[in-house]
Each structure stands twice: as C-alpha cells, then as structure tokens.
Amino acid sequence: DAKPLETLPYVEFIKKKYPDKLQQMNKQVEELNSQRIECKKNSKVLNFFKDLNSFILNKNSVELLPVGSMVTKFVNKQSDFDFVFFPKHEEQRHRFLRDFHQNPSFKRNFMSVFAKLIARESEKLGEPVEKVVELPRMRVPLLIVRYSSGLSIDIQFPEANYHALRNTHLMRMYKLCDNRFTLLFLWLRAICDKLEVRNSKYGLLSSYHLLLLVVHFLQSEQALSPWPVLPVLAKTYSNLVTPDIPIAKIAELTKSEDPRLNSDFSWKSHNKMEVSELIIRFVDYYSHFNPGKEAIYIEKGMALKRKQVFGDVRLQLIDPYSPVSVCRSPHASSAFFAAIQFMRKQFKSGRCCR
C-alpha cells in the first residue's frame, strides 16, 4: 500500500505532491534560457569593445581579453563586462607582471594613465565615461569604468596564473557537457539575485562561486548517485583543463568559438532527470552540507573533510587553479545556506515557482 506522503524522503515528497509545479518550473527555467539567448545577441556593445580595444592598445603586443559571462554566454541584463589586461608576448608579459605587482608607484601610475586613455577614446567612440574607479590595492587590481549610458566594465590586472582566464575556459568546457548545467545555474542565479545574496563587491557570492556550487553538485556521486550529470573534467579530460596548459593557449581558446583543444571530446550522461528535479535535489543536497566540516574540490569531484579552523565557516571552494578557496568572503557562506534553507521550506509548501 502507498506510504503516506509525509513519510517520504524530501525529494520524493515534492515529486509526488507537486508534479504540475515541477513542470511549470521546467518552463520557467527554459524562459530564463531564452532571455539569456536574447541578451547574448547584443552586438552593439561587443562592437564598441572591439573598437575600444583597437584604439587604446597596440594589437600586436597587448589585448583586453573578455572573461566570465561575456565568454561563457551566461549573460543576463545585469551582466557586467569583465576583461583582463593581457600582454601577448611571454617575455614582455613577465616583465610587465613583475613591474606591475612589485612596484606600487608603477602600478598606480600605469592604472591612472590607462584609465585616462580609456576615457578619452571612449568619448571619441560616442560612449562618454561618467566615472572611473581605480582599485590598485585589491588582491587583483581593478579598474571599473562606468559609462553615462549605464554600461559598466571591469578591467583586471591579474598575477601570472591569470585565474579568470583559466576558470572561464573551465566553465565553457563544463557548459559543453550538458545543457542542464546552464539551466540549473540560470535558476540559481535568478533566485540568488531575488534574495540579494549575489554581489561579490559587497562580500557576498559571485557568479563564479555559484557556478562551482552547481558543478560540484552535478559531477559528484555524493550528490547524484549513481549517475552524475557532469564528468569530473580534471580526471576525464585533464589535457583540456590542466593548470599546465600555457596561458597563451588558454587565451587563444577563450577567443575561439570552440574551446576544445581536440575533437575527441564527448560526454553523454546516463542521468535523465529534468532540470526541476535537479533543482529540488540541489536544494536538498546543500541543506545537509556543513561548510564548517566539508570542503569542495572541483578537480576531485567530491567534498572532503576540511581541516578545522576554529570558528571559520567560510565556504571552501577549491577549483583546479588555486590551492586555496576561491571564496574568501566571510558572508558568502551564511548568505548561501540561509537562501538554501529558505528555498527548502518554499518547495515543501508548494511554492516552487517565482
């Protein structure tokens, strides 16, 4: 005889009690994806950046490389435009990075001159600059250029590992594996925006943190047994995502239409769950996750017991390119897990849709 609903495990309870709402949720996520595809076609902005690049930089030696959502195409109307400053020739790159990161006055002067150059050339292109914020003392120094039109761009001056380039490439590779990765991320970002927990400039979650939380869930057998949705790329296709690939090669791949180094890349998941079920399972999985005790390792495809640091419950998200957590904010963890507990209650009472 059928068990009473209340005794079913969380995911089964919701699947049995609210099948129509889950179907509605699938539709809403597809709608988010349609909006993303519309935003992706914004060629006016992209042409402006192309022109700006060619006016302010010597094309043969330096370029501003787009990173993040401009490359992965995880865009929405609020998306920032992020770039890294990238000297093309290896020797010149080493020299610049050494001078920039070891000589504070060179760094300040360089950023200031560069900011003025951007403002001058943008004006000529018919996009007047309203304000430039120079942040030379950040861990990754940053120029934020705000335009009168509302457009805003961030230009990073990273260390030699060019973390943002590598993780942009990694996310593009994961995106190729299964479309449900894109859909689950779009849902999570929309929810985190609604609950106001995504804003890395204020010490909350960044889009990259959300992407890694989604990757971990979709590739880990701890979360989805026996069939994960994504492979552990660092194990199955290490030649495509290893930290040993020269950064110049990664720079080329982020510019190309296809981020695969070779054509024998193919992945088909045996997991057939719809995105709405994955969303419910995602919330259930993280509602039992203890950030004080577990650390997430993307290249191992699992969460492992973390070294206990008394009182530190920061989210430990270790990607393949950094030996320490990429989530340094003290507030990101509490914000994320409060959002998860809130979602869990909402789903239980049938409020699955926005």
Side-chain angles (χ1 to χ4, degrees):
D1 67 326
K3 277 183 163 182
L5 270 180
E6 268 50 38
T7 63
L8 290 173
Y10 180 76
V11 176
E12 297 310 314
F13 171 82
I14 288 168
K15 281 170 68 179
K16 281 262 191 320
K17 186 154 187 186
Y18 306 117
D20 305 352
K21 302 225 161 145
L22 292 182
Q23 284 315 313
Q24 206 178 330
M25 199 187 223
N26 286 329
K27 286 200 189 85
Q28 287 190 342
V29 177
E30 283 297 349
E31 195 183 303
L32 284 174
N33 199 30
S34 307
Q35 290 165 14
R36 175 188 76 83
I37 291 162
E38 272 313 299
C39 287
K40 194 175 88 173
K41 296 174 184 157
N42 187 348
S43 57
K44 178 179 169 285
V45 170
L46 297 178
N47 289 334
F48 163 66
F49 290 138
K50 270 202 188 81
D51 294 343
L52 187 64
N53 223 338
S54 61
F55 282 164
I56 60 176
L57 300 169
N58 172 344
K59 282 203 290 292
N60 299 321
S61 57
V62 183
E63 54 192 332
L64 285 181
L65 285 176
V67 288
S69 61
M70 287 182 75
V71 181
T72 57
K73 304 288 189 270
F74 289 129
V75 283
N76 64 5
K77 288 190 180 70
Q78 294 82 44
S79 288
D80 278 339
F81 295 92
D82 298 297
F83 295 89
V84 295
F85 184 84
F86 189 74
K88 289 180 167 180
H89 306 299
E90 198 170 352
E91 197 179 311
Q92 176 201 20
R93 191 161 58 244
H94 286 316
R95 248 199 337 270
F96 172 78
L97 290 168
R98 188 193 60 217
D99 294 345
F100 187 86
H101 291 289
Q102 290 174 14
N103 181 337
S105 67
F106 172 79
K107 181 194 327 192
R108 273 196 311 276
N109 291 339
F110 183 87
M111 287 178 75
S112 171
V113 169
F114 195 57
K116 288 188 182 75
L117 181 65
I118 287 179
R120 192 185 73 205
E121 296 303 331
S122 297
E123 189 87 42
K124 285 185 196 165
L125 287 166
E127 274 285 354
V129 169
E130 191 177 275
K131 187 180 180 193
V132 181
V133 183
E134 296 170 32
L135 299 167
R137 295 162 84 163
M138 283 179 72
R139 202 175 43 82
V140 176
L142 191 63
L143 277 181
I144 303 171
V145 186
R146 296 209 176 98
Y147 291 89
S148 307
S149 64
L151 185 65
S152 173
I153 66 175
D154 289 6
I155 298 168
Q156 306 176 15
F157 296 86
E159 300 264 4
N161 70 353
Y162 282 90
H163 199 149
L165 273 179
R166 290 193 184 277
N167 64 40
T168 296
H169 170 65
L170 180 68
M171 290 307 128
R172 274 183 95 195
M173 290 303 304
Y174 272 118
K175 189 166 170 259
L176 279 176
C177 296
D178 196 293
N179 191 43
R180 288 170 293 175
F181 170 44
T182 298
L183 298 177
L184 182 51
F185 168 70
L186 293 178
W187 167 81
L188 181 61
R189 181 176 63 186
I191 287 296
C192 287
D193 285 353
K194 253 203 177 69
L195 299 176
E196 298 183 351
V197 297
R198 181 179 79 106
N199 191 330
S200 55
K201 291 193 173 94
Y202 290 101
L204 294 168
L205 294 150
S206 72
S207 292
Y208 186 52
H209 299 150
L210 297 181
L211 284 163
L212 291 177
L213 287 162
V214 172
V215 166
H216 167 65
F217 168 74
L218 291 178
Q219 72 175 12
S220 162
E221 287 178 21
Q222 293 160 306
L224 290 172
S225 183
W227 305 118
V229 170
L230 295 176
V232 181
L233 281 177
K235 289 181 178 170
T236 37
Y237 295 98
S238 60
N239 62 319
L240 291 171
V241 297
T242 161
D244 311 334
I245 302 172
I247 197 62
K249 181 72 196 163
I250 297 290
E252 280 311 306
L253 290 168
T254 57
K255 286 190 295 183
S256 72
E257 283 303 304
D258 187 344
R260 290 171 278 209
L261 283 168
N262 55 13
S263 53
D264 66 355
F265 173 81
S266 68
W267 162 260
K268 202 111 191 82
S269 170
H270 294 293
N271 181 310
K272 299 290 178 255
M273 290 172 194
E274 291 189 320
V275 72
S276 57
E277 180 172 345
L278 291 171
I279 287 170
I280 305 295
R281 289 181 183 277
F282 178 91
V283 167
D284 189 42
Y285 175 73
Y286 280 113
S287 68
H288 295 104
F289 189 92
N290 184 342
K293 297 210 165 114
E294 298 171 279
I296 288 170
Y297 290 86
I298 296 299
E299 64 183 326
K300 295 181 176 151
M302 57 175 73
L304 298 170
K305 204 165 162 20
R306 61 174 278 195
K307 293 182 190 68
Q308 195 54 43
V309 181
F310 183 70
D312 179 24
V313 287
R314 259 177 267 208
L315 193 54
Q316 296 288 302
L317 281 172
I318 323 284
D319 77 2
Y321 310 118
S322 174
V324 294
S325 173
V326 298
C327 185
R328 292 175 175 81
S329 154
H331 311 300
S333 183
S334 53
F336 175 69
F337 290 102
I340 286 291
Q341 293 303 341
F342 173 75
M343 290 311 301
R344 186 181 169 85
K345 287 197 187 84
Q346 292 290 91
F347 289 167
K348 187 99 197 220
S349 54
R351 291 188 287 273
C352 301
C353 307
R354 55 169 202 265

